[in-house]
Amino acid sequence: MENVGVMMTTPMSAYLEQQLQQRFTLFKLWESPSPTQSLTRRADLVKAVVGDTKIGADSELIDSLPRLEIVSTYSVGLDKIDLEKCRERGIRVTNTPDVLTEDVSDLAIGLALASLRKICACHAFATTGSWKNGDFQLATKFSGKSIGILGLGRIGSAIAKRAEAFGCNISYHSRTKRQTKNYRYYSNAVDLAANCQILFVACSLTNETRHIVNREVIDALGPRGVLVNIGRGALVDEHELVSALCEGRLGSAGLDVFENEPHVPEPLLELENVVLLPHVGTDTVETSMTMADLVVANLECHFLKKRLLTPVI
């Protein structure tokens, strides 16, 4: 397989780069001063694309690679891949589900705890010497809160399991009602938000779910509510979120994802009722290596004409 051309669209994992270089002929799109010219020169050599949550395989990239056979994304999300174009061309697509579920759901609970217990503000209070002048303000309890989850898939279910350990009551909204007696189902996001204190956003980004958390949902969550987004930035109407936080219509937010990454809306940088992370939900040493191994294994399976491990198409 050393002669098989594989193109990485953007830096994502040094370990993944190393593994790909050992097995394939690796092209790094970002290293070329002119990506368009680079694609033109190597179009007939590239049979596989490896992308991630930043740069995947859009229709323009796919059209520029006439011999492309497979897109293996270093992510579970597929919103950066033109799936319809892949279906038309007969291009296989794989992702990395399951292996990142634990890390993302751990971080979701961490964001909720950090928001309610004001952990970041407490850290600043201690490190700046403010503690010498008096005690920190009272925060809010997490245990026993009512939890709403948008999207009860792998990650949403893992969040629910963790929240249950804190004695929280679980409700959810999903495309289909699940066969579970322990969680209450709501048929829409507004009713879910109106009946929970903390809303976790964990669904996939599609045309239907884009801005599923809009002004109506945010207002239903209310001035004491907490919004945690570990899904995709575009699941939340960011303009409405910023307005609600600034105006006090929403209590606080814990955000690992944003609409136009890596750009964070400037008003959020000035607020004390937010916890902001740079999309690090899967970024642990252990999980990044496991994801990389799965990307490589899917490529090997394809070119050895074996069954794909995590096929999407």
Side-chain angles (χ1 to χ4, degrees), residues 5-282:
V6 175
M7 177 170 285
M8 289 184 76
T9 60
T10 185
M12 55 194 82
S13 163
Y15 172 74
L16 176 57
E17 284 186 35
Q18 180 187 55
Q19 296 303 306
L20 290 172
Q21 283 177 327
Q22 289 176 0
R23 294 165 172 82
F24 307 98
T25 299
L26 181 62
F27 304 113
K28 303 174 186 178
L29 186 59
W30 68 92
E31 288 187 345
S32 172
S34 175
T36 302
Q37 291 182 6
S38 177
L39 285 171
T40 301
R41 289 198 312 271
R42 296 163 174 167
D44 290 332
L45 303 175
V46 176
K47 293 186 177 182
V49 165
V50 174
D52 68 354
T53 58
K54 296 184 286 295
I55 303 177
D58 60 16
S59 60
E60 183 179 358
L61 179 67
I62 294 169
D63 285 340
S64 69
L65 299 172
R67 298 186 66 194
L68 183 62
E69 297 179 15
I70 183 170
V71 176
S72 186
T73 182
Y74 181 70
S75 68
V76 66
L78 302 164
D79 50 287
K80 296 297 183 179
I81 302 173
D82 191 327
L83 295 177
E84 190 58 37
K85 177 73 71 171
C86 288
R87 290 190 183 95
E88 290 174 5
R89 288 265 308 268
I91 297 167
R92 304 303 304 272
V93 177
T94 65
N95 63 347
T96 58
D98 297 321
V99 297
L100 49 73
T101 299
E102 304 301 322
D103 277 347
V104 176
S105 52
D106 286 349
L107 192 73
I109 297 297
L111 281 169
L113 284 166
S115 298
L116 287 166
R117 297 302 303 269
K118 303 183 184 298
I119 291 174
C120 296
C122 283
H123 175 79
F125 191 81
T127 57
T128 59
S130 298
W131 193 8
K132 298 174 183 177
N133 302 319
D135 293 335
F136 188 76
Q137 61 184 289
L138 294 177
T140 303
K141 186 177 182 177
F142 175 70
S143 295
K145 287 289 187 291
S146 57
I147 301 296
I149 301 174
L150 273 175
L152 200 67
R154 294 181 181 91
I155 293 173
S157 297
I159 293 171
K161 180 180 178 180
R162 284 155 173 74
E164 282 185 290
F166 286 87
C168 297
N169 296 314
I170 313 296
S171 301
Y172 72 98
H173 167 65
S174 201
R175 283 178 297 180
T176 56
K177 186 176 181 180
R178 302 304 176 93
Q179 296 299 317
T180 173
K181 297 180 181 179
N182 297 329
Y183 308 154
R184 183 171 182 178
Y185 172 76
Y186 286 95
S187 61
N188 61 78
V190 176
D191 288 344
L192 176 66
N195 287 279
C196 71
Q197 295 165 292
I198 307 170
L199 181 62
F200 290 92
V201 185
C203 54
S204 300
L205 177 61
T206 65
N207 290 333
E208 291 73 28
T209 60
R210 183 175 296 273
H211 287 186
I212 188 172
V213 179
N214 54 22
R215 185 185 182 98
E216 189 177 6
V217 171
I218 292 170
D219 285 346
L221 190 55
R224 298 182 66 180
V226 179
L227 178 71
V228 175
N229 188 6
I230 45 75
R232 287 289 183 269
L235 293 168
V236 177
D237 186 328
E238 209 163 73
H239 174 75
E240 292 295 345
L241 173 63
V242 171
S243 296
L245 288 165
C246 291
E247 296 167 9
R249 291 185 289 109
L250 179 66
S252 61
L255 308 172
D256 184 45
V257 290
F258 303 88
E259 279 207 72
N260 299 297
E261 296 176 3
H263 303 289
V264 178
E266 287 194 18
L268 292 181
L269 304 179
E270 307 297 326
L271 297 177
E272 294 184 358
N273 57 341
V274 295
V275 179
L276 309 176
L277 301 180
H279 201 156
V280 293
T282 64

